[in-house]
Amino acid sequence: MHKNNFYCLLMLLAVCSWSHSLFAQDYRVYTRIFHQSEATPEVKPEVIARSLTIWHAGKAYDWIDQVGELVIYDPTERRYTIVSDPHKLGCTIDFSELRNFQKVARAKAQEYVEDISKSQTDQADREIAKIKFQLDPNFQVIPDSNGNSIRFESPVMGYRIETINAPNVDTAEAFRQYADWAAQLNYVLHGQSLIPGPRMFVNEELRLRSLIPIRVQLNLNDDVGTKLTAEHTIQWDLSPTDRERIRDWQAVLKDPQYEYVDFQKYQRTVLQD
């Protein structure tokens, strides 16, 4: 799988799928992401990525082993710190910067739609429909009768999400904020990811219903019927190994071998590989 496509799939589904009210508890979530195509239903779903997220002392540490990237969510300072181990490179980005990047990206997407609409081909029409939906998503929301899952359907893409009830409304709101910032970061950081609008639509709907996702399936409705599934295993305490990982990650932030650059340079360096 091409690296850009890998980032698209991984960031959409896994890295930022959990939160907890005020980060009151240290805990971990292990995520596996599966890829399957309706064009080859006989092929067993392939595990394309694994990630580990650890919450500790008001921050969330997301580690993606396959690409050696650490993403630290710091809601108190309202910023992310991102470190690439293979590149020995790091950066920070404030939430306000993410907002500005989103405005620019949205304007560029609208310009692109206007440009390709001049070609008047079926392919252009499909691309226009895809982008317009991402800019202004409107899923049909269908809860299952069992109350544990909910579907989001549209001609462009769809989600099927298995859930648990949030312990309280604060937890549901904290999840939405975390997942929304994650969707925005992933779109800006890894340019091949989908526009975050559809995932933010889903996040808000889950918040309104006080639900937390434990399994997320994304159907892209493309030519081969791509299905991407993220499964989350949660553990409500940290092991000694987890705490050692946190100490190691904190040490990386002070390691002189790592060069800290501005966000744009980090992005260019990571994406060029």
Side-chain angles (χ1 to χ4, degrees):
M1 177 175 294
H2 190 276
K3 185 173 182 180
N4 281 341
N5 291 334
F6 166 78
Y7 275 128
C8 173
L9 310 184
L10 177 61
M11 297 303 176
L12 260 174
L13 290 171
V15 175
C16 305
S17 299
W18 285 89
S19 175
H20 192 272
S21 179
L22 302 180
F23 291 92
Q25 180 175 346
D26 290 354
Y27 65 104
R28 67 178 339 248
V29 176
Y30 177 69
T31 298
R32 294 186 302 163
I33 303 178
F34 301 86
H35 171 268
Q36 189 173 27
S37 169
E38 290 183 353
T40 55
E42 72 283 355
V43 177
K44 184 179 179 180
E46 173 192 6
V47 179
I48 61 170
R50 297 175 174 85
S51 68
L52 174 65
T53 303
I54 297 178
W55 282 261
H56 173 69
K59 299 178 183 179
Y61 299 80
D62 291 307
W63 172 251
I64 310 162
D65 185 69
Q66 187 166 342
V67 293
E69 188 168 71
L70 174 66
V71 180
I72 303 174
Y73 171 74
D74 188 342
T76 301
E77 297 294 332
R78 297 186 59 79
R79 70 182 183 190
Y80 280 100
T81 299
I82 311 166
V83 178
S84 172
D85 186 62
H87 297 88
K88 294 295 184 287
L89 204 64
C91 72
T92 61
I93 180 168
D94 293 336
F95 291 175
S96 59
E97 292 181 79
L98 286 178
R99 292 279 194 204
N100 292 332
F101 279 123
Q102 293 301 320
K103 292 178 182 178
V104 172
R106 185 178 183 89
K108 289 183 177 180
Q110 291 169 334
E111 291 176 3
Y112 177 66
V113 166
E114 293 177 3
D115 185 52
I116 64 173
S117 64
K118 300 172 184 178
S119 64
Q120 297 182 344
T121 64
D122 290 342
Q123 182 177 356
D125 290 343
R126 289 193 296 270
E127 184 70 9
I128 290 169
K130 175 182 174 182
I131 295 174
K132 283 186 173 181
F133 180 84
Q134 292 179 61
L135 291 172
D136 187 22
N138 186 21
F139 289 102
Q140 181 182 8
V141 182
I142 308 171
D144 284 3
S145 58
N146 60 21
N148 295 326
S149 61
I150 183 169
R151 303 197 314 275
F152 297 81
E153 296 186 352
S154 80
V156 175
M157 67 180 68
Y159 287 91
R160 182 181 180 90
I161 302 180
E162 296 180 12
T163 68
I164 57 174
N165 291 322
N168 51 58
V169 294
D170 289 338
T171 299
E173 172 59 22
F175 165 77
R176 182 194 64 80
Q177 292 182 18
Y178 181 65
D180 279 359
W181 283 119
Q184 294 175 75
L185 173 67
N186 297 329
Y187 176 66
V188 173
L189 181 59
H190 304 295
Q192 297 299 313
S193 183
L194 297 180
I195 296 171
R199 186 56 195 260
M200 294 174 70
F201 181 106
V202 170
N203 295 341
E204 175 63 8
E205 189 67 29
L206 295 178
R207 182 194 68 82
L208 292 173
R209 297 168 184 268
S210 291
L211 297 174
I212 301 293
I214 57 174
R215 186 176 187 271
V216 179
Q217 182 182 84
L218 171 62
N219 301 318
L220 292 180
N221 296 348
D222 54 14
D223 293 339
V224 296
T226 301
K227 292 183 179 181
L228 308 165
T229 303
E231 295 182 350
H232 312 287
T233 302
I234 188 168
Q235 180 178 315
W236 293 105
D237 57 9
L238 300 183
S239 68
T241 300
D242 292 328
R243 296 185 185 279
E244 185 176 349
R245 285 192 180 100
I246 293 170
R247 289 192 293 269
D248 290 342
W249 292 334
Q250 291 172 341
V252 163
L253 301 180
K254 302 176 182 179
D255 190 334
Q257 295 184 65
Y258 289 78
E259 178 188 4
Y260 282 80
V261 298
D262 61 42
F263 177 77
Q264 289 89 343
K265 182 174 180 179
Y266 179 93
Q267 183 187 39
R268 289 194 302 269
T269 302
V270 171
L271 288 180
Q272 72 183 5
D273 289 351

